Amino acid sequence: MWRKSFWSYRLLSTYVTKSRYLFELKEDDDACKKAQQTGAFYLFHSLAPLLQKSEHQYQAPQHSLLELERLLAKFGQDTQRIEDSVLIGCSEQHEAWFALDLGLNSSSSINASLQKQEMETELKGSFMELRKALFQLNTKDASLLSTAQALLRWHDGHQFCSRSGQPTKKNMAGSKRVCPSNKIIYYPQMAPVVITLVSDGTRCLLARQSSFPKGMYSALAGFCDIGESLEEAVRREVAEEVGLEVERLQYSASQHWPFPNSSLMIACHATVKSGQTEIQVNLRELEAAGWFSHDEVATALRRNNPYTQQQNGTFWLPPKLAIAHQLIKEWVEKPNCSTLPA
């Protein structure tokens, strides 16, 4: 009896209570609607978040439900539009955070898109492309806005059932959509992507696509094919893109990435077989690829502002927020981190 009482009343960690609270909001429409009363809203327009400039960074302003209702009323909009918002997280004090796009038309909303310029003037900010502003946001805002954009984009593209063709209906939190005619439930999805830093023991392999900013090199990356394991995807991508065969690999970390349509980046280190380091670049996939020494990569990591150092053939690496940066930094600090057996 004492053991049962002890476990029944033990204190839960902050993380556990937050997770349980968010689960409740996702499963209970009434609880979620109640949370909106004291929650905070991040605003978007056609998937571009509202941002305000602060010194060398951007900040994402929050708005209360009352402020949002006043804003909609001022522009002649029904407050029913708030039901198009999606839950993106909460604070440790259980203040729920939501995102609402004022520029997208919802199949469940009679409201038209609000004019971007008028909204920016009223809100004293700018709706900016997230890709351009992401690396000038703090970690919290970058994570929340990435989640928000991915969810808003998914809902915008899944307003109709693929089986019946009928409009689907989102739950209050935006964690799923249901087809009323056949009860099929649709859940937001992410596409798995492997991102791999290949090493030959003393050098690492970096590559660039034509779409990359000028001078930027990164690790190899590609989508997982259906039916593949993580290990198989890494080996295939390395073979396809640079013509090398992976001998060993080690998982490093993962990261949600909102571009182009919400991906789960799975980062790995890999080594190639001894004596097989000749690169054969697949020009359908890459613009260039090459081996870089430890000193070259370490120097690139130390550059304060890589964007300004693209002259004289100097290369630069993805910003700190990108998992590719962390993968490369890990290799520089521990060059032998990719020597475990596959």
Side-chain angles (χ1 to χ4, degrees):
M1 179 63 71
W2 178 85
R3 177 183 291 271
K4 180 178 179 181
S5 176
F6 174 80
W7 288 111
S8 296
Y9 294 101
R10 71 181 176 89
L11 294 176
L12 298 178
S13 70
T14 301
Y15 176 78
V16 171
T17 56
K18 275 181 61 176
S19 298
R20 293 280 180 88
Y21 179 62
L22 288 171
F23 176 80
E24 179 187 5
L25 299 189
K26 292 174 183 178
E27 296 297 316
D28 188 330
D29 282 355
D30 291 335
C32 188
K33 194 162 187 174
K34 182 179 179 182
Q36 289 180 349
Q37 304 296 318
T38 56
F41 291 78
Y42 292 85
L43 300 182
F44 284 69
H45 193 286
S46 300
L47 299 179
L50 177 72
L51 300 175
Q52 294 173 339
K53 189 74 173 177
S54 175
E55 295 183 353
H56 301 297
Q57 275 197 322
Y58 287 108
Q59 292 184 339
Q62 295 180 336
H63 295 82
S64 67
L65 179 64
L66 181 59
E67 290 172 332
L68 186 53
E69 289 174 339
R70 287 174 178 169
L71 178 71
L72 292 172
K74 184 169 184 176
F75 284 87
Q77 297 289 309
D78 195 314
T79 55
Q80 182 184 354
R81 190 184 191 99
I82 296 172
E83 294 185 6
D84 292 333
S85 64
V86 294
L87 176 69
I88 57 173
C90 74
S91 69
E92 293 185 356
Q93 292 73 37
H94 293 186
E95 176 192 60
W97 298 324
F98 299 87
L100 176 64
D101 198 305
L102 301 172
L104 296 177
N105 291 325
S106 167
S107 63
S108 62
S109 174
I110 60 173
N111 299 298
S113 168
L114 293 178
Q115 292 300 311
K116 178 181 177 181
Q117 191 171 356
E118 295 174 5
M119 298 295 294
E120 288 177 330
T121 301
E122 177 66 24
L123 295 167
K124 297 180 175 59
S126 300
F127 291 105
M128 299 188 59
E129 282 187 50
L130 182 58
R131 185 187 285 270
K132 293 181 178 179
L134 187 63
F135 298 118
Q136 296 181 63
L137 293 166
N138 62 44
T139 303
K140 174 194 167 187
D141 284 348
S143 176
L144 285 174
L145 296 184
S146 295
T147 299
Q149 189 195 70
L151 271 173
L152 291 168
R153 180 189 287 115
W154 183 84
H155 281 284
D156 185 52
H158 291 78
Q159 296 185 36
F160 296 89
C161 176
S162 61
R163 184 70 61 84
S164 69
Q166 298 299 309
T168 54
K169 181 177 175 58
K170 69 177 277 294
N171 66 336
M172 189 62 65
S175 59
K176 61 185 176 183
R177 297 188 76 93
V178 180
C179 176
S181 65
N182 56 29
K183 308 305 179 185
I184 292 178
I185 302 176
Y186 295 91
Y187 294 98
Q189 297 178 334
M190 294 188 294
V193 173
V194 289
I195 179 165
T196 308
L197 188 66
V198 178
S199 171
D200 68 353
T202 60
R203 303 172 298 175
C204 73
L205 192 154
L206 299 174
R208 60 173 281 105
Q209 299 176 3
S210 58
S211 60
F212 284 9
K214 183 180 178 181
M216 191 187 88
Y217 278 72
S218 185
L220 301 177
F223 290 96
C224 297
D225 284 346
I226 288 180
E228 280 186 325
S229 67
L230 171 62
E231 294 82 3
E232 290 168 339
V234 168
R235 289 191 171 93
R236 174 184 55 76
E237 280 294 333
V238 174
E240 283 181 359
E241 295 191 350
V242 292
L244 297 175
E245 188 172 345
V246 168
E247 182 178 34
R248 304 166 186 269
L249 64 90
Q250 179 186 4
Y251 169 79
S252 174
S254 63
Q255 178 187 48
H256 170 251
W257 192 245
F259 318 111
N261 291 303
S262 193
S263 302
L264 177 62
M265 307 296 291
I266 306 165
C268 298
H269 291 279
T271 54
V272 293
K273 291 189 174 182
S274 177
Q276 298 183 14
T277 59
E278 183 181 349
I279 298 172
Q280 297 177 340
V281 178
N282 183 343
L283 294 177
R284 290 187 177 183
E285 295 281 343
L286 302 174
E287 182 178 86
W291 290 107
F292 293 80
S293 71
H294 183 275
D295 287 344
E296 288 177 309
V297 179
T299 299
L301 281 174
R302 286 194 296 269
R303 293 191 186 108
N304 292 329
N305 188 359
Y307 295 93
T308 63
Q309 303 191 34
Q310 299 171 15
Q311 295 84 15
N312 304 320
T314 303
F315 74 97
W316 56 281
L317 302 170
K320 292 181 180 180
L321 192 63
I323 198 169
H325 182 100
Q326 301 304 319
L327 196 61
I328 294 167
K329 184 172 182 283
E330 197 170 60
W331 178 79
V332 166
E333 294 175 349
K334 301 177 181 178
N336 297 319
C337 60
S338 53
T339 59
L340 292 183

